[in-house]
């Protein structure tokens, strides 16, 4: 089966990560008047509803052992508490202004499709899709378990939890999801947002393969907000989405169940192909373009591959340019990354810096790792050279902390032990750092999971190798090795 065409962001196909609510003066005035009354009232009623939901959620698993919690809840806990929680959830969304939830199509039963894939994913308010799906099990960030009430609701849902900062957590979550989907009806139906992040709803971004790894049928579910103003407001996410949504007299939402998608044998053996084809099908049904954009490493990027190499070259050239060094403004970043939209560059700057300029080094390392065109040793060599400010051939403890934060894309505050292990004869060299990172269990798993090994390894029979981002090499080795600093 061939992949259907994709689009990149252009004027015709808007950028999916730029959120903008366009209000006329009359709409702003009406929003302030209605919002000053409706918003506090609705939030208060919703909060009251959540306070009632909290003890119900805790009661469901109360008194159960860890072994019992690892199995689907049955008996009176499900027969009594599940309908009650479903009713309270619908009441909460009613208080938020979702007076009606229009449902189109027929929801497939568990045997027909063990997983429902919902798109587009615009904000936390998309959880309204749980109502017509009878509170299907979801996948959520483990960080959410610490949130008041939300943690209890996730526990009630028996959600699969995954940590973005723990490499082992992703593997465990994949194994858990696969186990549930292949349990032949033992576990309840799952609901997943395959985009993996929120967008403005103007296009479907590249689907992640998690929901498709088991190779089982899925049911696509479309989420629409017919009111254009509400649709734009919901896509903003966070407090702004809550304000604009609760300031409306009511919010329209349509949940449409498409026919079950049964994968071909080729799709079963290639989850990325399966995900791509379902994405194209859903985009066509929504009347939206499908794009290769993904959100990885906190950076919204297009499908990575050979076309991204000029941007990598420009970033390295800038880092070697002397006086200007590693810093760049949003305007300069637009040119360096080859973007056509300055607002996108400003968004990247906001992600990586609180100042008007941004450090190019972590951006380079993120894009290089995601491209699949740079091996771990080459990437580490570049990172070491970038952070060896004095050209001594060794790193200080502070420089190592900065390097690891840029390489792993989240702050590293406990690198003293790593520095001690890698410091032979009092100096931390590139070779000693590489040795520790490739033998330390945690760091080694990061390298294995997120970065292409230096050696290409066995090739598929057709002579093409697909990396974890879907970009293709020519079967004769990597498209590029990083030689800039060698």
């Amino acid at each position: 089966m061939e992949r259907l065409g994709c689009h990149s962001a252009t004027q015709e196909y808007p950028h999916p990560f730029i959120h903008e609510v366009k209000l006329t003066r009359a709409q702003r005035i009406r929003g302030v008047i209605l919002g000053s009354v409706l918003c506090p009232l609705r939030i208060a009623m919703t909060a009251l509803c959540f306070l009632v939901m909290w003890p119900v959620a805790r009661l469901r698993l109360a008194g159960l052992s860890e072994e019992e919690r690892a199995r689907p809840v049955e008996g009176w806990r499900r027969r009594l508490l599940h309908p009650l929680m479903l009713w309270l959830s619908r009441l909460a969304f009613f208080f938020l202004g979702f007076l009606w939830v229009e449902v189109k199509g027929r929801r497939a039963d568990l045997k027909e499709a063990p997983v429902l894939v919902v798109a587009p994913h615009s904000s936390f308010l998309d959880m309204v899709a749980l109502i017509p799906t009878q509170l299907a099990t979801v996948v959520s960030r483990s960080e959410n378990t610490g949130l008041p009430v939300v943690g209890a609701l996730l526990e009630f849902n028996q959600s699969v939890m995954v940590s973005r900062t723990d490499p082992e957590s992703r593997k465990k979550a994949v194994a858990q999801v696969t186990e549930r989907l292949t349990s032949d009806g033992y576990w309840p139906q799952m609901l997943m947002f395959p985009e993996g992040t929120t967008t403005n709803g103007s296009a479907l971004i590249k689907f992640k393969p998690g929901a498709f790894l088991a190779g089982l049928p899925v049911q696509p579910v479309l989420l629409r907000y017919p009111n254009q103003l509400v649709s734009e407001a919901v896509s903003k996410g966070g407090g702004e989405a809550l304000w604009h949504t609760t300031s409306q007299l009511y919010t329209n939402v349509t949940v449409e169940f498409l026919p079950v998608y049964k994968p071909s044998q080729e799709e079963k053996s290639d989850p990325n192909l399966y995900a791509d084809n379902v994405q194209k099908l859903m985009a066509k049904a929504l009347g939206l373009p499908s794009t290769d954009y993904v959100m990885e490493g906190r950076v919204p990027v297009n499908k990575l591959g050979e076309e991204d190499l000029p941007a990598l070259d420009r970033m390295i050239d800038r880092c070697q340019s002397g006086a200007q060094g590693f810093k760049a403004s949003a305007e300069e970043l637009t040119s360096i990354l080859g973007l056509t939209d300055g607002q996108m560059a400003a968004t990247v700057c906001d992600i990586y810096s609180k100042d008007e300029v941004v450090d190019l080094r972590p951006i380079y390392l993120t894009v290089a790792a995601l491209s699949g065109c740079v091996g771990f040793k080459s990437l580490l060599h570049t990172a070491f050279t970038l952070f060896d400010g004095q050209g001594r051939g060794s790193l200080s403890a502070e420089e190592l902390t900065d390097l690891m934060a840029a390489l792993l894309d989240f702050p590293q505050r406990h690198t003293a032990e790593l520095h001690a292990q890698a410091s032979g004869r009092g100096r931390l060299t590139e070779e000693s750092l590489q040795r520790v990172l490739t033998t330390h269990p945690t760091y080694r798993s990061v390298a294995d999971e997120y970065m292409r090994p230096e050696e290409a390894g066995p090739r598929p029979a057709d002579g093409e190798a697909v990396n974890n981002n879907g970009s293709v090499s020519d079967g004769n080795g990597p498209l590029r090795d990083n030689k800039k600093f060698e």
Side-chain angles (χ1 to χ4, degrees):
M1 182 178 293
E2 295 182 355
R3 298 176 189 265
L4 303 175
C6 290
H7 302 286
S8 297
T10 63
Q11 286 186 335
E12 184 180 358
Y13 302 107
H15 202 296
F17 296 112
I18 295 177
H19 300 264
E20 184 178 6
V21 179
K22 298 178 181 178
L23 299 175
T24 64
R25 186 175 181 180
Q27 288 174 325
R28 291 182 184 277
I29 294 174
R30 184 179 65 181
V32 170
I33 295 173
L34 290 177
S36 60
V37 177
L38 293 177
C39 185
L41 178 62
R42 282 175 167 167
I43 290 178
M45 295 300 292
T46 304
L48 180 62
C49 192
F50 273 99
L51 287 177
V52 177
M53 294 165 75
W54 181 79
V56 175
R58 290 300 186 198
L59 181 61
R60 192 182 200 194
L61 299 182
L64 297 182
S65 65
E66 287 299 319
E67 184 179 353
E68 290 172 319
R69 287 167 178 252
R71 299 195 295 262
V73 171
E74 297 176 342
W76 67 269
R77 297 173 188 267
R78 179 168 182 83
R79 290 195 303 271
L80 176 64
L81 300 181
H82 192 88
L84 177 58
M85 183 63 75
L86 179 62
W87 181 80
L88 288 171
S89 300
R90 180 64 189 94
L91 185 63
F93 277 102
F94 180 86
F95 287 147
L96 285 174
F98 292 82
L99 305 187
W100 303 278
V101 177
E102 183 182 4
V103 178
K104 295 183 178 180
R106 180 186 70 85
R107 174 192 168 210
D109 61 36
L110 180 58
K111 293 288 186 180
E112 291 179 280
V115 62
L116 309 170
V117 289
V118 183
H121 187 19
S122 301
S123 81
F124 66 93
L125 294 171
D126 293 340
M127 299 309 291
V128 69
L130 285 171
I131 308 302
T133 60
Q134 302 295 305
L135 302 182
T137 305
V138 300
V139 178
S140 180
R141 293 183 300 166
S142 58
E143 294 84 355
N144 292 336
T145 57
L147 298 176
V149 183
V150 174
L153 295 177
L154 291 171
E155 184 180 86
F156 177 94
N157 185 257
Q158 291 189 287
S159 305
V160 174
M161 310 308 299
V162 57
S163 171
R164 292 183 176 180
T165 60
D166 182 4
E168 291 301 321
S169 176
R170 292 194 179 192
K171 292 181 180 180
K172 183 179 178 181
V174 167
Q176 240 183 314
V177 169
T178 303
E179 178 189 359
R180 293 190 181 193
L181 296 184
T182 57
S183 65
D184 196 27
Y186 179 65
W187 279 96
Q189 204 167 40
M190 293 196 72
L191 181 149
M192 300 178 73
F193 294 96
E195 292 175 290
T197 189
T198 56
T199 70
N200 59 21
S202 64
L204 291 191
I205 64 172
K206 187 173 179 65
F207 282 6
K208 294 183 179 295
F212 309 94
L213 290 173
L216 298 173
V218 302
Q219 182 170 33
V221 182
L222 309 180
L223 201 56
R224 295 187 179 94
Y225 297 91
N227 182 303
Q228 181 62 30
L229 177 58
V230 170
S231 178
E232 292 176 354
V234 167
S235 73
K236 290 291 287 185
E240 192 168 349
L242 192 61
W243 164 259
H244 286 296
T245 303
T246 55
S247 297
Q248 305 296 311
L249 289 175
Y250 60 89
T251 298
N252 291 324
V253 61
T254 300
V255 179
E256 181 178 357
F257 295 96
L258 297 182
V260 172
Y261 188 104
K262 297 180 179 180
S264 65
Q265 193 58 45
E266 186 180 359
E267 290 171 320
K268 289 180 181 179
S269 60
D270 186 350
N272 287 301
L273 174 64
Y274 188 5
D276 286 347
N277 288 337
V278 173
Q279 178 207 20
K280 310 308 180 295
L281 174 75
M282 296 179 71
K284 183 177 180 181
L286 287 163
L288 298 175
S290 57
T291 76
D292 285 327
Y293 273 89
V294 293
M295 178 70 83
E296 295 287 2
R298 302 185 299 156
V299 182
V301 295
N302 203 338
K303 181 178 178 180
L304 296 169
E306 190 173 11
E307 67 273 16
D308 296 277
L309 302 183
L312 296 177
D313 287 337
R314 288 191 293 269
M315 277 191 278
I316 286 297
D317 290 339
R318 176 56 183 270
C319 290
Q320 292 179 312
S321 63
Q324 292 178 317
F326 309 126
K327 301 292 184 178
S329 65
E331 183 179 352
E332 291 169 326
L333 191 62
T334 303
S335 175
I336 292 171
L337 296 180
L339 301 174
T340 57
D341 193 331
Q343 188 173 349
M344 189 67 254
T347 301
V348 174
C349 284
D350 289 340
I351 292 172
Y352 278 93
S353 175
K354 296 180 180 180
D355 303 322
E356 295 181 355
V357 294
V358 65
D359 191 334
L360 291 174
R361 293 174 295 180
I363 300 177
Y364 172 87
L365 294 173
T366 297
V367 176
L370 293 172
S371 71
C373 300
V374 180
F376 176 66
K377 291 181 181 178
S378 296
L379 192 67
L380 181 61
H381 173 67
T382 301
F384 194 95
T385 308
L386 287 173
F387 285 90
D388 180 12
Q390 303 299 320
R392 303 182 307 270
S394 64
L395 297 180
S396 66
E398 183 179 354
E399 289 169 336
L400 176 64
T401 299
D402 293 340
L403 181 150
M404 295 305 297
L407 195 62
L408 299 179
D409 202 36
F410 56 88
Q412 301 292 301
R413 299 184 179 87
H414 307 287
T415 57
E417 182 182 352
L418 176 62
H419 188 272
Q421 291 179 4
S423 297
R425 299 180 181 178
R427 296 178 74 247
L428 193 158
T429 64
E430 180 182 339
E431 291 73 19
S432 62
L433 180 59
Q434 178 183 314
R435 173 180 52 78
V436 173
L437 292 182
T438 53
T439 55
H440 189 287
T442 300
Y443 291 116
R444 182 179 61 192
S445 64
V446 173
D448 290 343
E449 183 169 358
Y450 297 110
M451 300 175 189
R452 181 184 60 80
E454 205 69 26
E455 297 299 329
R459 300 285 180 183
D462 61 2
E464 289 191 337
V466 181
N467 64 27
N468 62 326
N469 295 302
S471 56
V472 182
S473 69
D474 61 4
N476 298 314
L479 291 171
R480 165 197 172 96
D481 282 320
N482 184 9
K483 302 295 183 181
K484 277 282 180 178
F485 286 93
E486 295 181 359

